[in-house]
Amino acid sequence: MSSAGIFISIMAALAVGAMSPGPSFVVVSRIAISRSRLDGLAAALGMGVGGVVFAVLALAGLTALLSQFEWLYVLLKVAGGAYLVYIAVNIWRSAGQPLEVSDTVDVNLAPRLSFMTALLTQLSNPKTIIVYASIFAALLPRTVPLSLIVALPLGVFVLEAGWYSIVAFAFSARHPRLLYLAAKSWIDRSAGVVMAGLGLRLILAGVSDR
């Protein structure tokens, strides 16, 4: 497969992961709803930077480390699944709590805070590490061309930041915001169920690989 074909395949696989329900989506959407569109876009940039970090780690040999130490890969799967279940429980428990919406923006602090919140959420999510490691290990050739080494981090940033910018725009708009607030408990509980299912599936996959 050509470098262009590999790049497109990796981006397509990562796009599915980025658009699936998860903590990152919840964080960006809630920031956009409860703070402002500018905060939501700052959070989207944080997600993009976090994705670049994982892409660079994968290219630097994270996949080789995981393949050499199978127990570490299993541990990451179980830890990632437990993390998702933990997030799911928190979302479910807070589903009935009202969400305070503010239209005021502190341009000196709020966007930076939103950026850091999103970046730390991205970096602390073991599921993301597993996704990047698995996709890179499966699709990259043994010797990675320089063109891919340069293109992949840039592509990951555009993909992650682009998708979450769409999320930020959607959830900071007036009508989607009102619809979400009206059905918050049902939406949050549904998201909690989905993430709990993903987490349990990840844990079972890790246990079965032992």
Side-chain angles (χ1 to χ4, degrees), residues 35-124:
R35 297 181 187 174
S36 70
R37 177 166 293 174
L38 180 60
D39 281 282
L41 293 175
L45 291 178
M47 292 298 174
V49 172
V52 170
V53 171
F54 287 130
V56 171
L57 287 175
L59 289 171
L62 177 62
T63 53
L65 180 65
L66 293 178
S67 62
Q68 184 176 358
F69 298 99
E70 185 177 354
W71 62 269
L72 179 59
Y73 188 61
V74 172
L75 179 62
L76 284 176
K77 279 188 174 182
V78 174
Y83 178 83
L84 289 184
V85 172
Y86 170 77
I87 293 294
V89 171
N90 285 339
I91 292 175
W92 181 277
R93 292 176 61 183
S94 64
Q97 299 176 1
L99 189 63
E100 296 183 1
V101 178
S102 174
D103 292 325
T104 61
V105 181
D106 183 349
V107 295
N108 294 319
L109 175 61
R112 285 184 290 177
L113 178 61
S114 299
F115 174 87
M116 290 304 302
T117 299
L119 176 61
L120 293 177
T121 299
Q122 181 85 304
L123 294 180
S124 65

Side-chain angles (χ1 to χ4, degrees), residues 22-36 40 43 47 99 164 167-168 170-172 177 180 188:
S24 298
F25 181 88
V26 173
V27 165
V28 175
S29 62
R30 288 194 171 194
I31 285 176
I33 287 174
S34 62
R35 297 181 187 174
S36 70
M47 292 298 174
L99 189 63
Y164 287 111
V167 173
F171 280 85
S172 61
R177 177 183 288 192
Y180 172 81
D188 283 358

Side-chain angles (χ1 to χ4, degrees), residues 173-199:
R174 176 177 174 80
H175 293 297
R177 177 183 288 192
L178 292 176
L179 288 173
Y180 172 81
L181 292 176
K184 176 181 180 296
S185 60
W186 289 100
I187 293 174
D188 283 358
R189 288 192 175 100
S190 298
V193 169
V194 170
M195 280 197 284
L198 292 172

